[in-house]
Amino acid sequence: MTEHPPSLATPYRTHTCGQLRAGDIGAEVRLSGWVHRRRDHGQLIFLDLRDRHGITQVVVDGTDSPAAHDVASRVRSEFVVSVSGTVTARLAGTENARLSTGAIELQTTALEILNEARTPPFYINDPDAPVDESLRLKYRYLDIRREPMQQRLLLRSRLVQAIRQAHHENGFVEIETPTLIKSTPEGARDFIVPSRLQPGSVYALPQSPQQLKQILMVGGVDRYFQIARCYRDEDLRGDRQPEFTQLDLEMSFVDEATVMDFVERMAIEVSQAVTPERPLLEVPFPRFTYGEVMERFGSDKPDLRFGMELVDLAPEIPTPDGVPASGFRVFDDALAGGGRVKAIVAPGLGDAPRSRIDELTETAKRFGARGLAHLALEATGSVKGPIVKFLGDDLAERLCARAGAGPGDLVLIVADGTEVTNEVLGRLRTDLGARLGLADPNVLAYCWVHRFPMYKWDVEGGRWDATHNPFSGVVPEDEALLTTVSGDPSRPSPEDPAGRARALQYDLALNGWELGGGSIRIWRRDLLELSFALQGYSLERMRNMFGAMLEAFEYGAPPHGGIALGIDRWAALLTNQATIREVMAFPKTQSGTDLMLEAPSPPDAGQYADLGLRVVPVEERKA
Ligand code: ASP
């Protein structure tokens, strides 16, 4: 995977450790790097010399070069050395096909130790050696010397390069927005930076460049992008970090399809440039409405690499006189109450033991279900399970057939309100998909989800909350729905038609992860004021929060929209990693600590004084 520029020669080397081939035999060269491995055979000492580009075998012969041999006998793993010598063919039978330089070796004439090294706390030369993650983070520079981290950081660099190229080819301007700004909320807490020159005031680090990129559209930039660092102070999970990197972009005079089409073409180009060996499941990317994706997959970021879709069982359940009568109370009550009875099929789990079913039921309960019913289809085709006695054989068989189960499969059924049913089955689907290894790890399955609800009712606040950002536009056909039962937008209620309005918002998902999302923004002032009022904000209040942007909107804002995609997530998915820490050079731990730098740490006393700050001890704060 080394792409070798024509020359990386420096005063310390004529070639890199990954460069020499049979064609170089006879050449006098100089290499520098780390000692990957040392094998002492008395008169002959072998050094595997390593740099980022590869490994070259170095032979030090005590008879020919006693001085070099003397140095080689003092060399240890991870010493930094420089070797001069002649490129020679390896003896027949000792070539190493796994090394790009495996046809040759270097006969040493001179060897110099450039720097010694302490014994590393873990093996650098064994990529598979299990190493505790906190040790890797504390000695990240040693971890980065190891092959797997090198490969991932290289891939990430190529990813960003491909992204930049695709944007430049499509008329985008790369602009850096500042990171000492005013609060730009994206649903998390701000990190704040106290100002020394204006004691008592703070900057906020951007949760995203959202306001600034919209202002750039008012500035006539037309198409902006940035590889942007964002900061969100929230509790960390596996795929979160307090600071992370987004591909952030915004476009003017566009509609939803223009943005989605560009992003899709860019994502295809980038994927093919970075991981040409990984097939794309479906092109063009499937586009689901939020309603459809929840109904079919129970998730707004479905993993499409396997089926196991949610199936509605209700059509098989008889309803004499309009009353559901499956014979099983839980199903009938759910349907009578306007809820759902839906199922997924776990392939090959038909003969799962009781303990496995109990475990699945526990998982479903953790996901919010009251219970989990099941029907097992035996190899003979007969249906078994505790609820068969209520349903009767005939209905039980028809439910299995409707679910799409075959002999040996297990049908898992949830009966509850629509939201709970979809959510629980969706999470079970994800869980089982991973456990049963149903997804092909090589495939890249991108899909779009759009037409999200514009608002979600906030019970406590008694108002409509924007599901994405407060500036997301409304689907044109739904504009008329932005009304309230009371007739006054500042007196909203959960029955308002506004609750049915759909946003011009789109998310891009990849292999079950949300890669990112964006929207066409509200750029018309009347709509903006109406939407703010529904969200319980006066224009005054919004002005306090988003003053600069709202003022800019008064000077001619073009129709515009954009998106942001997580670069860390993208790189993690392209390298099949379970956490974004694996594709970040210097990530933080779950508690937000940099174990290598030992950050955060208390400031110097003087720094507090400069800022006019004083720390209140936790006990005092509680009091
Ligand atoms: N600012 C949004 C985010 O960070 C993305 C966007 O709407 O463009 O999620």
Side-chain angles (χ1 to χ4, degrees):
M1 92 166 283
T2 21
E3 298 130 28
H4 235 293
S7 173
L8 291 176
T10 72
Y12 287 93
R13 65 185 183 206
T14 54
H15 297 77
T16 69
C17 296
Q19 201 173 356
L20 296 169
R21 302 285 183 272
D24 298 302
I25 288 169
E28 297 294 323
V29 301
R30 183 176 179 195
L31 303 182
S32 290
W34 287 264
V35 174
H36 190 65
R37 221 174 250 114
R38 174 178 167 280
R39 293 182 303 281
D40 195 332
H41 295 276
Q43 272 306 85
L44 280 188
I45 296 177
F46 291 91
L47 304 177
D48 286 344
L49 195 63
R50 183 196 70 230
D51 64 15
R52 168 161 85 69
H53 307 279
I55 292 179
T56 301
Q57 176 162 291
V58 172
V59 189
V60 193
D61 188 334
T63 329
D64 300 345
S65 334
H69 189 270
D70 194 43
V71 177
S73 51
R74 281 185 285 124
V75 154
R76 295 289 172 266
S77 281
E78 299 311 312
F79 276 30
V80 186
V81 301
S82 182
V83 197
S84 301
T86 315
V87 182
T88 51
R90 288 206 196 188
L91 284 182
T94 67
E95 299 93 344
N96 183 348
R98 278 176 300 144
L99 283 187
S100 59
T101 61
I104 58 96
E105 60 192 12
L106 196 63
Q107 290 293 341
T108 307
T109 49
L111 175 65
E112 183 189 349
I113 295 175
L114 298 177
N115 230 330
E116 303 195 346
R118 286 165 62 185
T119 305
F122 47 81
Y123 289 108
I124 313 279
N125 54 17
D126 180 359
D128 302 319
V131 185
D132 179 58
E133 194 184 2
S134 49
L135 206 58
R136 289 177 53 203
L137 292 177
K138 176 152 173 53
Y139 297 96
R140 194 58 155 182
Y141 41 90
L142 295 179
D143 192 30
I144 288 174
R145 265 189 218 165
R146 300 165 85 211
E147 165 97 20
M149 273 308 291
Q150 296 245 324
Q151 298 298 338
R152 292 198 286 271
L153 291 180
L154 280 180
L155 181 137
R156 183 179 174 133
S157 166
R158 290 210 313 271
L159 170 66
V160 172
Q161 185 190 1
I163 288 172
R164 286 212 159 93
Q165 187 175 340
H167 283 76
H168 286 300
E169 283 167 3
N170 284 277
F172 283 79
V173 185
E174 181 168 7
I175 296 180
E176 291 169 76
T177 55
T179 52
L180 291 176
I181 60 166
K182 206 178 155 92
S183 179
T184 297
E186 293 278 354
R189 275 199 193 90
D190 287 323
F191 279 102
I192 57 173
V193 180
S195 158
R196 180 180 59 83
L197 295 177
Q198 295 174 44
S201 289
V202 298
Y203 300 98
L205 301 180
Q207 293 188 30
S208 86
Q210 186 66 35
Q211 294 193 63
L212 294 168
K213 71 172 170 175
Q214 292 195 238
I215 289 173
L216 285 173
M217 295 302 103
V218 184
V221 166
D222 195 59
R223 291 184 169 201
Y224 138 95
F225 86 101
Q226 176 176 202
I227 307 297
R229 194 65 62 82
C230 305
Y231 305 84
R232 297 183 190 176
D233 188 2
E234 53 195 344
D235 295 330
L236 307 185
R237 293 201 306 261
D239 59 344
R240 302 247 159 146
Q241 282 277 314
E243 57 179 306
F244 58 96
T245 310
Q246 284 189 343
L247 157 62
D248 192 49
L249 65 98
E250 197 76 9
M251 307 163 80
S252 288
F253 302 109
V254 290
D255 61 7
E256 187 184 49
T258 326
V259 180
M260 290 168 81
D261 288 348
F262 165 72
V263 173
E264 182 163 328
R265 264 187 290 119
M266 183 270 301
I268 293 170
E269 265 173 50
V270 165
S271 306
Q272 286 172 346
V274 178
T275 51
E277 71 288 1
R278 297 188 65 173
L280 299 172
L281 184 73
E282 212 180 320
V283 174
F285 301 164
R287 291 185 184 188
F288 301 106
T289 64
Y290 174 77
E292 183 186 359
V293 88
M294 293 310 291
E295 198 52 35
R296 288 178 55 186
F297 303 99
S299 163
D300 59 4
K301 41 181 189 298
D303 191 340
L304 299 181
R305 291 173 300 169
F306 60 96
M308 214 194 257
E309 290 194 25
L310 282 52
V311 183
D312 188 0
L313 298 185
E316 283 300 335
I317 294 178
T319 50
D321 314 318
V323 182
S326 69
F328 184 45
R329 267 276 297 279
V330 178
F331 290 1
D332 296 337
D333 288 354
L335 292 179
R340 314 290 298 276
V341 179
K342 292 179 73 174
I344 53 172
V345 176
L349 285 192
D351 56 2
R354 181 80 230 176
S355 58
R356 185 78 199 267
I357 307 267
D358 288 346
E359 193 189 299
L360 284 167
T361 308
E362 275 319 302
T363 310
K365 284 185 177 161
R366 248 191 306 120
F367 295 158
R370 273 174 289 188
L372 181 70
H374 72 272
L375 293 169
L377 210 53
E378 298 193 308
T380 56
S382 69
V383 186
K384 286 227 320 216
I387 61 170
V388 176
K389 61 176 178 285
F390 303 111
L391 303 172
D393 287 339
D394 178 52
L395 180 56
E397 271 164 31
R398 277 190 287 124
L399 293 183
C400 287
R402 181 166 178 89
D409 290 345
L410 180 69
V411 182
L412 298 168
I413 309 169
V414 173
D416 214 311
T418 303
E419 227 172 280
V420 174
T421 304
N422 286 340
E423 160 100 15
V424 171
L425 285 174
R427 292 179 70 175
L428 269 182
R429 176 181 178 274
T430 307
D431 194 69
L432 278 167
R435 284 210 232 184
L436 301 177
L438 299 182
D440 181 343
N442 201 32
V443 167
L444 296 174
Y446 290 93
C447 72
W448 287 104
V449 179
H450 67 158
R451 304 284 136 118
F452 286 83
M454 183 92 179
Y455 308 110
K456 201 174 154 133
W457 182 250
D458 172 357
V459 181
E460 266 168 40
R463 61 188 166 87
W464 290 104
D465 261 349
T467 54
H468 187 55
N469 86 43
F471 301 99
S472 291
V474 62
V475 170
E477 306 92 275
D478 292 359
E479 211 177 295
L481 290 174
L482 296 190
T483 55
T484 56
V485 176
S486 70
D488 174 355
S490 63
R491 286 191 12 243
S493 81
E495 279 75 46
D496 293 338
R500 299 200 304 277
R502 294 161 303 165
L504 286 173
Q505 187 206 320
Y506 31 79
D507 279 5
L508 185 61
L510 171 57
N511 291 1
W513 289 27
E514 183 195 323
L515 199 53
S519 62
I520 296 298
R521 325 296 179 186
I522 306 183
W523 48 278
R524 256 170 48 206
R525 189 183 167 108
D526 56 331
L527 261 183
L528 202 55
E529 282 182 28
L530 177 58
S531 187
F532 286 166
L534 290 165
Q535 293 171 59
Y537 296 125
S538 64
L539 195 56
E540 249 1 86
R541 171 105 191 277
M542 285 314 257
R543 233 180 246 294
N544 274 332
M545 293 174 71
F546 305 110
M549 190 171 123
L550 290 178
E551 191 176 4
F553 272 25
E554 287 164 21
Y555 289 89
H560 62 285
I563 195 169
L565 305 181
I567 299 272
D568 312 282
R569 287 190 188 175
W570 209 353
L573 285 159
L574 292 179
T575 53
N576 266 333
Q577 295 302 305
T579 116
I580 59 173
R581 294 191 298 280
E582 294 294 354
V583 292
M584 301 175 97
F586 302 107
K588 294 180 179 57
T589 63
Q590 296 283 308
S591 59
T593 308
D594 183 319
L595 291 175
M596 184 184 67
L597 298 176
E598 298 182 344
S601 56
D604 294 341
Q607 286 177 308
Y608 275 138
D610 283 350
L611 296 168
L613 294 178
R614 183 171 68 82
V615 172
V616 181
V618 178
E619 307 78 63
E620 212 176 301
R621 247 184 288 168
K622 280 193 191 130

